[in-house]
Amino acid sequence: MEIQIENQPYASVQADALVTYVFDQEHKFDGILGEIDRATDGRLSALASAGELTAKPLETVLLHFPGGLRAERLLVVGAGKPDKFAPLSDLRKIAGTALRFLKPRGVKKLAFLVREGEQGPRAAEAIVEGLIAGDFESDKYRSEKKNRAIETALLVGLEAGPGVADAVDHGRVIGESMNFARELINEPSNKLTPRMLAARAEAMAKEAGLGIEILDERKIAELKMGALIGVAQGSIEPPRVIVVRYTPAEPRPGAPVLGLVGKAVTFDTGGISIKPANNMEKMKYDMGGGATMLGAMRALAALKPSISVICVIPATENMPGGRAQKPGDVVVAMSGKTIEVINTDAEGRLILADAVFYARKLGCTHLIDAATLTGAIEVALANVHVGAFGAPREYLDRFLESAKAAGEKMWPMPIDDEYEEMIKSTIADIRNTGSGKGGGASTGAWFIKEFVDDTPWVHLDIASTCWIDEARPWLAKGPTGVALRSVVDFALKM
Ligand code: BES
Ligand code: ZN
Ligand code: ZN
């Protein structure tokens, strides 16, 4: 999809469809909407009186051959009540909804008309992100593709200037990086083993101009990553640790180094503590955290933060093979801490233990990890918010500011000392599950914290938000790409 800024007045823009949006309680149709209403001989007012155009969020009303416009169709998307409108995330949703509405209707060229007060760079960025993310399809392995594509999207009504052009580029980078992550998340586990994920990361790094190093099973053994090895040994597929580096053109001595760590279990059967068959196919997305961080690195390579960023991705399968670790086994993590593996299905925290420790060894002064870590986070937050843990609190709060700026819903979750008690083991330093008395997402986070120590750290539990089972008007069902935008915003502001 080509995205262009169009400077012509909207009425003379030639397109298969002109898209704009309308707020609730706007039935007098002020400003641009008023103009369009008059140009179309009051057809918008007529639709509103008939109750067909109510402006409720993401409602779509399509007019063919609207008079007074050169475009062949006019699509009006509902924007809801103005006081509830979140300029960035709602614009993104409106743009995605419009694209997903028009694409199956054969539209090839759309023009998106921004409203008064939203003609600046941030709006442009949000619209571009929304269009690109909305364009994502999961049909890679379908023999008969629908072959419908929006070829061109024109942005109409934006203010002129370099700020807006840069914002369009920024939006494109973010949207495409999200789709890169979503493509990886969508891959079935036979098409994306740890080795194949490493190869995909290598190809991306090469294209983006990032440094990359792949640690194979020998190197992993040499580094004594016992917690990762314990998980990996149940599979015939060897594990990998993927290390991707971004270095700014002028590195400042003593500047912070941000570590991005992502869980990449390319398939989680649960291991010997095997999962039920129902829904197990979805455990191909247990590498969502890793894919998100790789996508973030792809974006950062283009957006060029002023600090160094090192991404560490532990990649493995979690299988119940003949050599698999068993409940009750004790493994020694790279840090030297001993872990009693109570449940082999709590494998994410095990591989993250070695990954966060290794990231610190590599010089990371600040950490963010993203992981599809617990079913418990779905109990707490459903698929609405990402669970955000972290310490110190000021560091977490700074991250949550970025989440807000990026328009991603995240909610602070507790990791008080009491949760530490719940992962005490009788025979080792710690155990990999809580005491079974609830708080599963927090005990999971505490486990990781044991290996993070005092390094400022944020942990994002994306188990319930990384994948949606039902399509949304602005997003296909399947992988969402959640957390990438916030991580990128945070790195750019650091
Ligand atoms: N990968 C799962 C978590 C998960 C569940 C992700 C649902 C996406 C959707 C993780 O490895 C896991 O199995 N966690 C266990 C931990 C428990 C055994 C302490 C869980 O949440 O049940
Ligand atoms: Zn598991
Ligand atoms: Zn898992």
Side-chain angles (χ1 to χ4, degrees):
M1 179 173 44
E2 261 209 59
I3 297 178
Q4 294 162 11
I5 297 172
E6 172 63 73
N7 296 318
Q8 281 190 67
Y10 66 87
S12 47
V13 170
Q14 193 269 317
D16 299 322
L18 180 76
V19 179
T20 195
Y21 45 102
V22 57
F23 291 96
D24 205 347
Q25 294 167 337
E26 202 185 30
H27 291 155
K28 7 184 231 325
F29 294 125
D30 291 337
I32 293 177
L33 257 280
E35 278 172 37
I36 295 180
D37 190 36
R38 284 189 293 280
T40 59
D41 277 337
R43 284 169 73 186
L44 295 184
S45 310
L47 281 164
S49 327
E52 281 183 63
L53 195 162
T54 65
K56 70 169 191 284
L58 306 180
E59 168 195 76
T60 42
V61 176
L62 183 67
L63 271 80
H64 286 262
F65 310 115
L69 300 178
R70 251 189 102 193
E72 286 178 26
R73 301 172 185 79
L74 172 68
L75 176 67
V76 183
V77 183
K81 300 227 185 299
D83 54 328
K84 281 192 123 184
F85 188 76
L88 302 178
S89 55
D90 283 337
L91 266 181
R92 206 184 281 144
K93 288 179 187 169
I94 289 170
T97 300
L99 183 134
R100 284 174 47 80
F101 181 87
L102 294 171
K103 193 162 148 179
R105 288 170 172 79
V107 166
K108 299 216 166 337
K109 185 177 180 185
L110 69 79
F112 193 99
L113 171 61
V114 293
R115 295 291 308 273
E116 305 84 330
E118 278 152 18
Q119 288 122 328
R122 300 300 305 271
E125 184 187 325
I127 293 161
V128 173
E129 278 177 24
L131 290 171
I132 293 177
D135 204 20
F136 179 85
E137 310 264 4
S138 304
D139 60 358
K140 177 167 175 189
Y141 294 106
R142 207 172 284 145
S143 309
E144 261 178 55
K145 304 227 183 349
K146 292 207 179 103
N147 274 334
R148 296 242 161 130
I150 304 273
E151 287 160 7
T152 313
L154 306 175
L155 307 182
V156 187
L158 291 168
E159 69 188 32
V164 164
D166 287 350
V168 169
D169 288 341
H170 190 117
R172 193 195 317 265
V173 166
I174 298 277
E176 288 176 356
S177 297
M178 279 175 67
N179 289 354
F180 165 82
R182 291 162 81 196
E183 239 162 66
L184 291 176
I185 297 170
N186 234 354
E187 289 287 12
S189 71
N190 63 332
K191 305 287 182 195
L192 198 81
T193 61
R195 283 181 295 177
M196 295 184 212
L197 178 63
R200 300 276 282 259
E202 252 175 332
M204 179 279 288
K206 215 167 166 192
E207 208 186 315
L210 293 163
I212 185 158
E213 188 189 356
I214 309 292
L215 313 188
D216 64 9
E217 62 274 32
R218 276 183 37 212
K219 184 78 192 175
I220 289 169
E222 225 176 274
L223 289 169
K224 297 196 168 69
M225 294 186 170
L228 170 61
I229 292 167
V231 174
Q233 74 192 31
S235 172
I236 197 142
E237 284 292 337
R240 290 290 181 265
V241 175
I242 304 164
V243 182
V244 186
R245 286 170 192 268
Y246 165 82
T247 315
E250 286 166 36
R252 286 169 288 139
V257 177
L258 180 62
L260 303 180
V261 179
K263 168 179 173 182
V265 174
T266 57
F267 197 83
D268 182 9
T269 66
I272 296 299
S273 315
I274 200 158
K275 287 181 181 293
N278 201 16
N279 284 327
M280 204 208 270
E281 74 284 357
K282 280 169 61 186
M283 281 302 112
K284 69 173 187 176
Y285 80 71
D286 212 20
M287 33 59 73
T292 302
M293 290 313 196
L294 283 175
M297 291 304 287
R298 183 191 179 280
L300 290 173
L303 301 175
K304 304 200 184 310
S306 62
I307 50 151
S308 295
V309 186
I310 304 176
C311 175
V312 178
I313 313 246
T316 179
E317 291 187 335
N318 186 23
M319 295 285 285
R323 283 165 46 97
Q325 66 180 350
K326 301 167 287 297
D329 285 2
V330 173
V331 295
V332 186
M334 186 184 178
S335 75
K337 277 204 172 120
T338 57
I339 304 165
E340 185 186 9
V341 179
I342 300 293
N343 189 318
T344 63
D345 197 11
E347 84 297 342
R349 62 200 72 182
L350 292 170
I351 70 173
L352 288 171
D354 283 340
V356 294
F357 186 79
Y358 187 58
R360 287 170 56 213
K361 283 256 137 174
L362 293 178
C364 296
T365 59
H366 295 72
L367 292 171
I368 305 173
D369 82 69
T372 47
L373 204 75
T374 68
I377 203 67
E378 183 171 12
V379 177
L381 303 173
N383 62 10
V384 178
H385 289 88
V386 169
F389 302 80
R393 181 63 205 226
E394 306 77 67
Y395 183 67
L396 173 61
D397 284 343
R398 254 170 66 206
F399 184 82
L400 290 171
E401 281 301 313
S402 276
K404 206 165 154 197
E408 293 192 305
K409 287 192 190 231
M410 303 207 177
W411 202 257
M413 297 287 291
I415 31 170
D416 300 52
D417 293 348
E418 284 86 338
Y419 296 104
E420 186 184 11
E421 290 301 308
M422 301 182 189
I423 55 168
K424 291 239 158 93
S425 161
T426 36
I427 71 160
D429 297 334
I430 46 172
R431 42 187 272 162
N432 78 330
T433 61
S435 50
K437 298 196 182 106
S442 291
T443 48
W446 237 111
F447 185 94
I448 302 168
K449 191 173 187 292
E450 291 278 349
F451 301 87
V452 164
D453 216 0
D454 288 336
T455 307
W457 157 77
V458 166
H459 157 62
L460 303 174
D461 194 335
I462 59 170
S464 58
T465 45
C466 163
W467 185 276
I468 47 174
D469 288 327
E470 274 169 46
R472 296 185 179 149
W474 64 94
L475 213 62
K477 73 174 171 189
T480 60
V482 76
L484 184 147
R485 275 193 285 256
S486 306
V487 168
V488 170
D489 185 274
F490 187 78
L492 290 175
K493 285 178 181 158
M494 201 155 165

